[in-house]
Amino acid sequence: MKVLISNDDGVFAPGLATLAKVLRQDCEIEVVAPDRNRSGASNSLTLDRPLEAFRHENGFVGVNGTPTDCVHLGTSGVFDFEPDIVVSGINAGANMGDDVLYSGTVAAATEGRHRKFPPIAVSVANHHPQYFETAAEIVCLMVAGIAKVNLAPRTVLNVNVPDLPMDQIQGVHVTRLGHRSLADKPVKVKDPRGCERYWIAGVGEVLDREPGTDFFAIEQGYVSITPLQIDMTQYEAMDNLGSWLEGIL
């Protein structure tokens, strides 16, 4: 198995190093990741300038771009590597519910949706994880068995793992996305020159943590695996929308 590994925490992130260390035991890997933290970059591509790539002493390639840029390059063959699957992570902090709209971790996996096997995004539900190895072991098992899964084309697997030792993981739940409330208002500050600036506030509170959601699974000590689809069309709304348009256009 040839695995392209990327992330949004940056090429020097400990979660990336742990994932690469575990996967290279059984797979041929290439690591292409942003040269700095690009959390929240979502699916953005860099189109206003050329990208630079630098191969570090450990073999990892750092790119001065977004997570999507990195996977776009890594799957294109420019590094003489044609991956079977893309794995993104291990992210420090969960990517659940509405977070997936902004997540660079999920976006990097999404860019690998055309490879032979469904891409995997993996996160640990703690911003200062102690047990990256648990998430890495779970992903390693998933990659080893990925050829047997039957999923629709372009499905992305979003994996969130409790920050626990492997022997304390309660099991695995296949989940749907929960939901958060709106984030707090941006915080206005002044820089040393007196200019107004704005910090984007943190995520909103969890509103939907019902059984079956990713939030519920993590709170109960289970690994959450959510299949995500790229087609965001709301098919159930098409008839009602058509009827409404007939009356006004």
Side-chain angles (χ1 to χ4, degrees), residues 94 96-97 125 160-162 164 170-180 206-226:
M96 300 187 292
N160 285 276
V161 182
L164 297 169
Q170 298 301 304
V172 178
H173 281 179
V174 176
T175 60
R176 66 173 176 86
L177 296 177
H179 296 287
R180 294 186 184 274
V206 178
L207 289 181
D208 179 11
R209 52 163 46 90
E210 294 298 314
T213 64
D214 44 10
F215 290 111
F216 180 85
I218 289 296
E219 290 172 357
Q220 300 301 312
Y222 289 83
V223 176
S224 164
I225 303 180
T226 306

Side-chain angles (χ1 to χ4, degrees), residues 46 66 165-166:
T46 300
T66 67
M166 193 68 176

Side-chain angles (χ1 to χ4, degrees), residues 146-170:
I146 199 73
K148 299 178 182 179
V149 71
N150 183 17
L151 295 172
R154 296 176 294 283
T155 299
V156 178
L157 299 178
N158 186 38
V159 181
N160 285 276
V161 182
D163 190 25
L164 297 169
M166 193 68 176
D167 60 5
Q168 293 184 26
I169 296 293
Q170 298 301 304

Side-chain angles (χ1 to χ4, degrees), residues 53-97:
F54 179 80
R55 191 172 291 276
H56 296 276
E57 291 184 2
N58 63 358
F60 295 3
V61 176
V63 176
N64 64 338
T66 67
T68 300
D69 289 332
C70 295
V71 176
H72 190 75
L73 290 177
T75 57
S76 68
V78 298
F79 301 121
D80 298 321
F81 187 80
E82 293 287 345
D84 300 307
I85 186 173
V86 173
V87 179
S88 177
I90 301 166
N91 191 66
N95 279 298
M96 300 187 292

